[in-house]
Amino acid sequence: MLQGGGVMRVCCFGDSNTYGYDPRSFLGGRYAAENRWVDILQSKTGWEIINQGMNGREIPRSAVFIPPETERLILMLGANDLLQGCEPEKAAERIAHFVSALDLPTEKILWIAPPPFAFGEWVQSQKVIDDSVAFAQCCLAQAEGRNIRCLDAGRWGVTMAYDGVHFTEQGHRAFAEGLYKEICL
């Protein structure tokens, strides 16, 4: 809640893990709301959250629509770029460029480095896992250089599904709890 009793308006912009994709679904289905980190965060905080997660989203190369009433933007991108072979340093630079082009003050932006991949059906290479670990450090460095708050979700005990990329239901709960502790307590 904001001072004065207003409700904070938050936009969560990301990929399938923000969307709440259930990897057990063949048609792009989602976990139930009580098992998606965005909805869990909304329930815990009372914030009005717009979920702009989209399956397969890579780091945008042009402007995107962020609702003008957004008071905080929570941004988590880069996993799909890494899966497509983008090097961690380059992916972090792309996000930094994307963030700098947003029409939003940096103090309203929270950049989250996604948790690292795990071995699974989509992740068969140690290099991809190592890149996902390195990516978090690259994000932290890029954000620090721009005075943007950045958090490493790799510290929150997020479990991955059989594919090594998508959060399990328990992973979504761990992500929501880790984020909540970082920004609300």
Side-chain angles (χ1 to χ4, degrees):
M1 298 290 254
L2 296 174
Q3 290 179 344
V7 173
M8 183 180 295
R9 291 179 184 89
V10 177
C11 177
C12 294
F13 189 89
D15 57 25
S16 54
N17 280 319
T18 299
Y19 173 75
Y21 175 70
D22 181 348
R24 301 168 299 185
S25 166
F26 294 110
L27 302 175
R30 301 167 88 179
Y31 289 123
E34 64 270 12
N35 295 315
R36 297 190 300 245
W37 74 261
V38 171
D39 297 283
I40 295 167
L41 185 64
Q42 180 171 300
S43 176
K44 289 175 80 68
T45 61
W47 296 343
E48 180 184 313
I49 298 183
I50 298 168
N51 186 335
Q52 286 193 332
M54 183 177 83
N55 293 341
R57 177 177 276 144
E58 294 182 27
I59 302 161
R61 297 180 190 266
S62 59
V64 298
F65 176 77
I66 302 296
E69 67 275 5
T70 297
E71 295 170 81
R72 177 176 284 164
L73 173 66
I74 299 175
L75 175 74
M76 184 171 64
L77 290 167
N80 289 308
D81 301 81
L82 295 174
L83 290 171
Q84 294 300 318
C86 187
E87 292 298 320
E89 299 82 7
K90 187 69 175 165
E93 288 170 10
R94 283 186 192 164
I95 295 177
H97 178 73
F98 169 70
V99 167
S100 68
L102 291 172
D103 188 22
L104 202 61
T106 56
E107 63 270 9
K108 291 187 174 188
I109 299 170
L110 177 59
W111 178 354
I112 301 177
F117 299 138
F119 275 108
E121 209 165 288
W122 290 17
V123 181
Q124 304 274 318
S125 158
Q126 185 63 47
K127 180 186 181 328
V128 174
I129 294 170
D130 292 346
D131 283 354
S132 70
V133 171
F135 179 60
Q137 297 311 307
C138 295
C139 288
L140 293 168
Q142 286 286 335
E144 183 179 343
R146 289 169 171 73
N147 280 335
I148 299 169
R149 186 167 183 207
C150 185
L151 302 175
D152 179 3
R155 300 179 26 227
W156 301 338
V158 176
T159 53
M160 298 296 179
Y162 72 93
D163 60 11
V165 173
H166 294 101
F167 303 172
T168 62
E169 291 169 312
Q170 298 82 2
H172 275 272
R173 288 191 287 278
F175 185 98
E177 187 63 28
L179 180 56
Y180 180 79
K181 286 179 180 175
E182 291 271 5
I183 62 177
C184 295
L185 298 181

